[in-house]
Amino acid sequence: MKFKGLVSSLSLLFLLGSGLLTFFVILSGSKTTGVMRHFYWFEADTRGFSGAPSTTRWYNYKWCAYENDKVGSCSGKKADMPFSPKDNFGNSPNLPKQFRKHRNTYYYLSRVGWAMLLIGLFFLIIALLPVLLSIFRVGIATVLSTLSVWAALFFITVAACLYTACYVKGRNAFHDAGRHAKMNKKMFAFLWTSVFLLLLSSLWSLILSTFFGIQKTRQRKEYQYVGNSSRDDSYNVEKGTYDSGVREPYSEKRKWWKPRTKKKANTVVTV
């Protein structure tokens, strides 16, 4: 039981850590002041783009100008702001050809990645209640927790892969055009750390489910063994072969108010 409690505690700890990091990644970009201004997805040289600042940073909900170590004017907030310079600033002769030729690639990678991230957070929240219940030895909660955690792992891992692919391709496109571009290590470290913690939580929840299944199987076998033993004892009593030194089965026990008498062994007198 101590092992089961330890596994449940570790699974809950990893799940909470992953949920906290995922929530922070989704929340980043809602504000661009204070510490939050350092958490963005991508920064690139956008000089010469129509209506774009010299340096642009892409957040979750908007893009902003970045000059002299300060975040300047920003676009309007949008929950599903895509990373697509062609959509963000319009078509321009100075726009790298990759963004004009493969516009859909960047647009849908960022949009679908955002959707996967939200779905993963939803399953993370759903998984918290079953994990808490599994600590109190609720069997069905362990199974529900395992399914929810693995679903969250799938969607958040897909989101991390899509975001990484999108911005790596964007960085290469800017570099090929001779422009400065970089990915924010903090954001991607938070995202992939969330995936790692969720993977550990999934493995621990799988171990917990296996342990619970083994325990239930053992209990079922013990119950069947006790039941068979009781039937055998009852059979011996009916046949008259019951030994007084053997404990009576539960079904054959006398009431507490009735006196107990020992059976005398039958003796055979031979002449």
Side-chain angles (χ1 to χ4, degrees):
M1 293 302 174
K2 291 183 179 180
F3 174 75
K4 183 178 179 181
L6 177 62
V7 172
S8 299
S9 300
L10 287 175
S11 178
L12 179 60
L13 180 63
F14 293 143
L15 185 62
L16 289 173
S18 177
L20 181 62
L21 291 177
T22 303
F23 182 75
F24 183 84
V25 169
I26 293 176
L27 185 64
S28 63
S30 58
K31 291 185 178 181
T32 54
T33 58
V35 179
M36 297 296 291
R37 68 188 178 91
H38 297 293
F39 292 92
Y40 58 93
W41 287 112
F42 192 73
E43 177 184 310
D45 178 11
T46 54
R47 287 176 295 178
F49 296 0
S50 58
S54 58
T55 303
T56 304
R57 282 185 173 180
W58 277 266
Y59 296 85
N60 275 328
Y61 309 101
K62 55 189 174 182
W63 55 263
C64 298
Y66 182 73
E67 296 178 355
N68 300 323
D69 199 25
K70 293 182 181 180
V71 177
S73 59
C74 299
S75 65
K77 286 186 178 181
K78 189 177 180 181
D80 53 353
M81 172 68 71
F83 171 71
S84 175
K86 184 177 180 180
D87 291 279
N88 301 143
F89 309 116
N91 201 356
S92 172
N94 295 322
L95 194 70
K97 64 179 181 179
Q98 292 295 331
F99 295 117
R100 294 196 303 269
K101 185 177 180 180
H102 303 287
R103 173 260 177 192
N104 291 340
T105 299
Y106 301 95
Y107 182 86
Y108 288 109
L109 280 176
S110 57
R111 290 288 296 274
V112 176
W114 173 255
M116 294 295 102
L117 200 60
L118 292 179
I119 296 174
L121 180 62
F122 170 76
F123 278 106
L124 272 173
I125 296 173
I126 294 298
L128 282 175
L129 182 59
V131 169
L132 292 174
L133 291 177
S134 66
I135 296 177
F136 300 98
R137 303 176 187 178
V138 180
I140 190 64
T142 305
V143 178
L144 293 176
S145 172
T146 302
L147 295 176
S148 300
V149 171
W150 280 96
L153 175 64
F154 171 78
F155 286 107
I156 294 181
T157 302
V158 170
C161 293
L162 293 177
Y163 270 116
T164 303
C166 178
Y167 289 108
V168 166
K169 290 176 68 67
R171 182 190 61 186
N172 295 338
F174 276 103
H175 286 174
D176 292 341
R179 293 176 178 269
H180 163 75
K182 68 175 183 178
M183 300 163 59
N184 188 6
K185 296 179 180 179
K186 297 183 181 69
M187 285 288 287
F188 286 95
F190 274 38
L191 183 59
W192 281 104
T193 302
S194 176
V195 172
F196 175 71
L197 292 177
L198 196 55
L199 176 62
L200 292 180
S201 179
S202 302
L203 294 176
W204 282 119
S205 65
L206 186 61
I207 293 173
L208 184 62
S209 298
T210 304
F211 178 81
F212 181 79
I214 294 174
Q215 186 180 21
K216 292 293 289 184
T217 302
R218 288 180 178 176
Q219 290 177 354
R220 190 179 299 109
K221 289 182 178 179
E222 291 177 358
Y223 177 79
Q224 293 175 352
Y225 175 76
V226 172
N228 293 333
S229 299
S230 299
R231 287 193 295 271
D232 293 341
D233 291 343
S234 300
Y235 176 79
N236 293 335
V237 170
E238 292 176 357
K239 292 296 184 180
T241 59
Y242 179 75
D243 188 5
S244 61
V246 180
R247 183 180 296 177
E248 293 177 332
Y250 181 81
S251 60
E252 296 295 326
K253 286 184 179 179
R254 294 182 175 88
K255 305 299 182 181
W256 63 271
W257 62 81
K258 292 184 178 181
R260 294 178 177 269
T261 58
K262 294 184 178 180
K263 293 184 178 181
K264 296 182 179 181
N266 295 330
T267 57
V268 179
V269 179
T270 57
V271 180

